[in-house]
Amino acid sequence: SQQGEEDPQALSIQEGENATMNCSYKTSINNLQWYRQNSGRGLVHLILIRSNEREKHSGRLRVTLDTSKKSSSLLITASRAADTASYFCATRRETSGSRLTFGEGTQLTVNP
Amino acid sequence: DTGVSQDPRHKITKRGQNVTFRCDPISEHNRLYWYRQTLGQGPEFLTYFQNEAQLEKSRLLSDRFSAERPKGSFSTLEIQRTEQGDSAMYLCASSERTPSTGELFFGEGSRLTVL
């Protein structure tokens, strides 16, 4: 079963707007990662946040983690048409060894 | 190209046939993962190797599925007696042995269509 659930399932915005995606998970984690997938392609790692971190930035990306609520959010600022893709959160549980468990994903469409 | 490579990229087969996918990870990575992804869903974990040892297998990996990594380098995923429900994208990923991070590097995937 999937560990993470992303919200919303689909998001459509205009270029220049910010996009926020949320992820909830069920068990204690070691870290949480966000990946991007263009249609029909492999996944690309975006950013990792450890369980003892609350916020992390990378370029136009901002990730937050609230372990008390078992949730994370990914903010993409000043979106571009090229940001159109599916975005997945993935968790590494404390007790699952090396397995990364992915959520269902959010399909982001950025309209030019 | 020093990324993860998968072959073939596309495979169409008839129900009941066997198929094999190959994955070549990034050369210095000793961990290798197989995931399966159906349309509109997130990747589902199948199995992972550390060097040549298969350390974890999902319950999704039925007895028709077998994965090997004989010399700790490339890996193969074989599906015997394919069924229509096996139609999916099969993704391979590799990572370094770094417990505190574990970022995965994915290949482009092998898309299987079972007719």
Side-chain angles (χ1 to χ4, degrees):
Chain A
S1 63
Q2 298 289 359
Q3 158 80 319
E5 294 182 2
E6 277 96 336
D7 169 54
Q9 288 189 320
L11 179 61
S12 181
I13 59 174
Q14 295 300 122
E15 217 167 17
E17 294 180 339
N18 295 341
T20 299
M21 289 160 267
N22 302 297
C23 167
S24 60
Y25 57 92
K26 298 174 183 174
T27 64
S28 296
I29 60 171
N30 180 285
N31 65 59
L32 184 145
Q33 304 178 29
W34 285 90
Y35 287 78
R36 166 200 168 120
Q37 184 179 36
N38 285 64
S39 181
R41 307 294 296 274
L43 283 80
V44 176
H45 180 265
L46 295 176
I47 193 166
L48 178 151
I49 187 165
R50 295 184 176 82
S51 60
N52 61 353
E53 297 176 313
R54 291 297 166 258
E55 187 171 314
K56 204 160 184 181
H57 296 254
S58 176
R60 295 185 295 114
L61 304 180
R62 172 177 168 252
V63 170
T64 61
L65 178 65
D66 186 335
T67 53
S68 67
K69 294 181 179 178
K70 291 187 169 57
S71 67
S72 173
S73 68
L74 172 68
L75 169 67
I76 304 174
T77 60
S79 64
R80 305 165 182 167
D83 294 329
T84 295
S86 292
Y87 292 81
F88 297 92
C89 68
T91 52
R92 185 179 302 280
R93 301 183 199 182
E94 286 184 335
T95 57
S96 73
S98 189
R99 177 193 301 209
L100 261 190
T101 304
F102 286 82
E104 302 286 334
T106 293
Q107 172 61 51
L108 173 66
T109 302
V110 181
N111 301 298
Chain B
D1 189 295
T2 57
V4 178
S5 63
Q6 293 188 243
D7 182 70
R9 292 290 312 279
H10 302 274
K11 178 72 176 179
I12 300 174
T13 191
K14 292 182 179 178
R15 188 164 49 105
Q17 298 294 305
N18 299 343
V19 296
T20 299
F21 301 114
R22 175 182 169 123
C23 172
D24 287 89
I26 294 171
S27 59
E28 58 268 27
H29 288 179
N30 64 358
R31 289 186 170 177
L32 185 147
Y33 306 78
W34 286 99
Y35 282 83
R36 180 174 70 186
Q37 185 180 28
T38 52
L39 198 62
Q41 302 294 312
E44 293 178 297
F45 173 81
L46 292 178
T47 187
Y48 103 90
F49 293 83
Q50 183 165 297
N51 300 313
E52 65 276 8
Q54 189 173 19
L55 296 187
E56 194 174 351
K57 288 170 60 173
S58 164
R59 280 169 279 185
L60 291 174
L61 214 65
S62 75
D63 55 6
R64 296 186 298 105
F65 288 69
S66 62
E68 294 183 343
R69 194 182 183 197
K71 297 183 180 178
S73 56
F74 74 92
S75 175
T76 58
L77 176 69
E78 180 183 18
I79 309 174
Q80 296 183 326
R81 305 180 304 280
T82 52
E83 302 172 355
Q84 287 185 326
D86 297 331
S87 294
M89 175 79 89
Y90 290 85
L91 295 163
C92 176
S94 67
S95 75
E96 298 176 336
R97 187 184 175 183
T98 309
S100 62
T101 58
E103 167 190 349
L104 299 190
F105 294 81
F106 281 85
E108 295 291 346
S110 293
R111 180 168 296 284
L112 173 65
T113 302
V114 182
L115 302 176

